[in-house]
Amino acid sequence: MRFSHRTSYGPETCALVAALLNGTIGVLTRVGFDQGATPAMIAFWKCFGAFLLVCALCACRRQLTTQTISLAKRWPQFACLSFLGIFGLYYFETKAFAQASIPLVSFLTYAAGGATIALSGLLLGETITRRKVIAFAAIVLGVGLMSLFEHAVTGSLSGIALALAGGCGYALFIFLSKWFRIGAGLPQLVWLFGFGSVFLLMPLVNEGFAIPDGFTWITLCGLVLLPTIGGFYFTTRAVAGGQASKVQIIETSDPLFATGFGFLLFGDRLSHAGMLGAACIAAGLLIAVWHRPDR
């Protein structure tokens, strides 16, 4: 009994690690743009690179190879999830970064996560408690404060629409991952990144297929290892072992970590409003992961 109480924090921890890793997306994407990469190029190559790496890891172990092959019968579900959570998020979010400021894109992407909470309550039977609502509201308020007052918040209507589309796609990905019960692990990532690479190849070919060069590969390696493989691995782990609504709430804290990386790499500092926003996000996280002790 004591063991199960300790492990009850597993999904929340995985979601928090996923948020930490996803917080590197904006910074690394910004570096990639400065190196001359286009949104379609970054979106495809980070996904295809992740696909090649997880394929190699699965090929090294017979058990993982067998599990990967056994998932073939569920290809329609993986195709659907890849279209929403990989093509939808990677393509639209990366394209939005080129048309709107990073804080605005980050805010709109994760504010759309409220759809996961609503769908989880309506269709998955997850209880939407007052604590969940307060936690999500506190995090969204904090993200909003950081987005509005930390940097110049600019963006075209198309940039705003792209950010919302990416956020809705990711919200549906989290919900449907729980609905389909796809599980978590490297074999699942092979199928997700495989279909994602096919979908993301289309806009790259339409733009003019190009292979990155120079230091862009270093940036892409960072995107492959941190938010792509790491982020999706821990997200699927969290969804498989916990509630989709709580995973979405915790991962909404992504901008807090993105701001931290921005400070470390670019020297971006928080204003008083930004510090208040960070405090709201931290409070929302504490509320979300807090467990009431058994009586």
Side-chain angles (χ1 to χ4, degrees):
M1 188 72 177
R2 184 177 300 175
F3 177 77
S4 62
H5 177 73
R6 288 181 180 178
T7 57
S8 62
Y9 290 89
E12 288 85 352
T13 302
C14 287
L16 196 59
V17 173
L20 173 64
L21 295 172
N22 288 336
T24 63
I25 294 176
V27 172
L28 291 173
T29 301
R30 176 172 155 185
V31 173
F33 288 157
D34 291 340
Q35 293 170 336
T38 64
M41 184 188 299
I42 291 176
F44 169 76
W45 285 105
K46 71 178 182 181
C47 184
F48 186 62
F51 171 69
L52 293 178
L53 184 55
V54 293
C55 278
L57 292 173
C58 287
C60 293
R61 296 184 59 183
R62 180 177 299 179
Q63 182 180 3
L64 293 177
T65 302
T66 303
Q67 292 175 5
T68 303
I69 295 174
S70 68
L71 292 173
K73 60 180 178 290
R74 305 188 65 180
W75 71 265
Q77 295 177 348
F78 283 109
C80 176
L81 291 173
S82 292
F83 182 79
L84 294 170
I86 294 184
F87 176 79
L89 179 64
Y90 284 7
Y91 180 69
F92 292 126
E93 183 187 42
T94 307
K95 201 170 180 63
F97 279 132
Q99 301 185 34
S101 61
I102 291 177
L104 180 60
V105 173
S106 181
F107 173 72
L108 293 174
T109 298
Y110 288 95
T116 302
I117 301 174
L119 289 172
S120 299
L122 291 173
L123 301 177
L124 293 179
E126 296 181 3
T127 304
I128 307 302
T129 63
R130 184 182 304 173
R131 182 155 57 90
K132 287 183 180 179
V133 174
I134 293 174
F136 184 70
I139 293 174
V140 170
L141 174 62
V143 172
L145 286 172
M146 295 178 72
S147 300
L148 292 173
F149 297 104
E150 280 312 299
H151 305 279
V153 179
T154 58
S156 61
L157 286 177
S158 60
I160 293 173
L162 288 167
L164 287 172
C168 289
Y170 191 62
L172 289 172
F173 168 82
I174 291 179
F175 164 72
L176 289 175
S177 294
K178 191 69 176 182
W179 179 270
F180 292 153
R181 298 180 180 179
I182 65 164
L186 294 178
Q188 284 83 355
L189 294 185
V190 169
W191 286 95
L192 289 173
F193 294 145
F195 278 112
S197 298
V198 173
F199 294 139
L200 290 169
L201 179 62
M202 299 175 188
L204 181 60
V205 170
N206 184 59
E207 176 185 273
F209 186 83
I211 299 176
D213 56 6
F215 290 105
T216 307
W217 281 112
I218 299 176
T219 304
L220 286 171
C221 286
L223 285 166
V224 166
L225 295 174
L226 297 175
T228 307
I229 294 179
F232 270 95
Y233 176 81
F234 284 104
T235 294
T236 53
R237 282 286 181 191
V239 172
Q243 296 182 344
S245 56
K246 184 173 287 189
V247 172
Q248 180 66 68
I249 291 171
I250 295 173
E251 289 203 17
T252 305
S253 65
D254 172 314
L256 176 63
F257 300 107
T259 301
F261 289 123
F263 170 74
L264 292 175
L265 295 179
F266 302 113
D268 296 339
R269 294 182 178 273
L270 289 175
S271 64
H272 292 298
M275 292 177 65
L276 177 60
C280 289
I281 295 174
L285 281 175
L286 289 175
I287 295 171
V289 302
W290 177 71
H291 286 254
R292 180 177 298 175
D294 296 332
R295 295 181 179 178

